[in-house]
Amino acid sequence: MKNIVYFDLETQKSAEDVGGWDKISNMKMSIAVTYSTTRGDYRIYGEPQVDDLLRELLRADLVVGFNNLRFDYEVLHGYTTLDLRQLPTLDMLVDLQARLQHRLSLDAIATATFGVEKTAEGMQALQWYREGRLLEIAEYCCYDVKLTRLVHEYGAQNRQLHYMNRFGKKLTVPVVW
């Protein structure tokens, strides 16, 4: 059985805090969550466990995320000299953007495909970090990983995803995962 690892992380700092989007590796991880198809469970990592997270990603047959190439991996590059972009990775945002010529949010897909919305957003997670509310970050991040997994599995099984466009119209995009 292939070990697919679904992955998301939240940060301690915003782009503004570190001096811009070109300094993502300085944002520092607050919480990361993975779901492994081999284990069949979620794992939550705090910053002290970043090496364990990196080991899990390195052992995956495929890492699946949403904006993980441009964002999550770049955050982790602050902790390792390895180029994580070399890992077998499906970044669903990148794949969908190439097909549609515009970016979609995970929320736009989840809402149209499953009728569910994200529970929060990244700026809220930053506030929680400042308040020491790591459990809320972990719950939010777990939910995002679950949505990522559901979206990927739906796309792989049905060869298409649904999304809401900016005018609130439900559209469909073919995928080959």
Side-chain angles (χ1 to χ4, degrees):
M1 179 179 174
K2 242 172 100 164
N3 184 27
I4 299 174
V5 174
Y6 298 92
F7 162 63
D8 187 38
L9 65 73
E10 298 305 321
T11 62
Q12 298 176 21
K13 300 176 182 178
S14 68
E16 185 179 330
D17 293 336
V18 299
W21 285 105
D22 58 329
K23 296 178 179 73
I24 294 172
S25 64
N26 295 335
M27 290 181 174
K28 301 250 181 232
M29 180 183 93
S30 63
I31 296 289
V33 173
T34 61
Y35 178 90
S36 163
T37 57
T38 299
R39 283 192 326 265
D41 69 8
Y42 293 87
R43 293 252 166 103
I44 299 169
Y45 300 91
E47 188 182 28
Q49 294 86 37
V50 72
D51 287 341
D52 295 331
L53 168 64
L54 290 167
R55 267 191 293 284
E56 180 171 7
L57 296 175
L58 290 168
R59 290 181 180 145
D61 294 310
L62 179 65
V63 178
V64 177
F66 203 89
N67 200 22
N68 52 329
L69 287 170
R70 168 85 173 98
F71 185 76
D72 304 69
Y73 283 176
E74 288 304 314
V75 172
L76 290 177
H77 284 152
Y79 299 94
T80 182
T81 58
L82 299 172
D83 183 358
L84 300 174
R85 295 169 298 184
Q86 301 303 311
L87 296 177
T89 300
L90 170 60
D91 185 329
M92 293 188 293
L93 173 67
V94 171
D95 184 73
L96 292 167
Q97 186 174 358
R99 293 175 189 285
L100 297 170
Q101 301 303 306
H102 63 85
R103 291 171 62 113
L104 285 179
S105 68
L106 182 58
D107 206 36
I109 299 164
T111 300
T113 305
F114 306 113
V116 298
E117 295 179 353
K118 288 178 55 152
T119 57
E121 48 92 22
M123 294 307 287
Q124 179 66 59
L126 285 170
Q127 183 62 37
W128 287 335
Y129 179 78
R130 290 182 190 112
E131 297 168 359
R133 297 166 60 188
L134 297 181
L135 181 58
E136 281 92 340
I137 300 170
E139 288 173 349
Y140 162 62
C141 204
C142 279
Y143 190 74
D144 268 11
V145 170
K146 183 174 186 175
L147 284 181
T148 299
R149 180 177 150 225
L150 289 172
V151 166
H152 176 254
E153 288 174 345
Y154 183 93
Q157 290 170 359
N158 296 285
R159 300 287 183 209
Q160 67 181 13
L161 289 174
H162 307 291
Y163 66 97
M164 302 300 284
N165 73 6
R166 63 182 174 205
F167 305 110
K169 183 176 180 184
K170 184 176 177 176
L171 300 173
T172 301
V173 58
V175 295
V176 183
W177 298 333

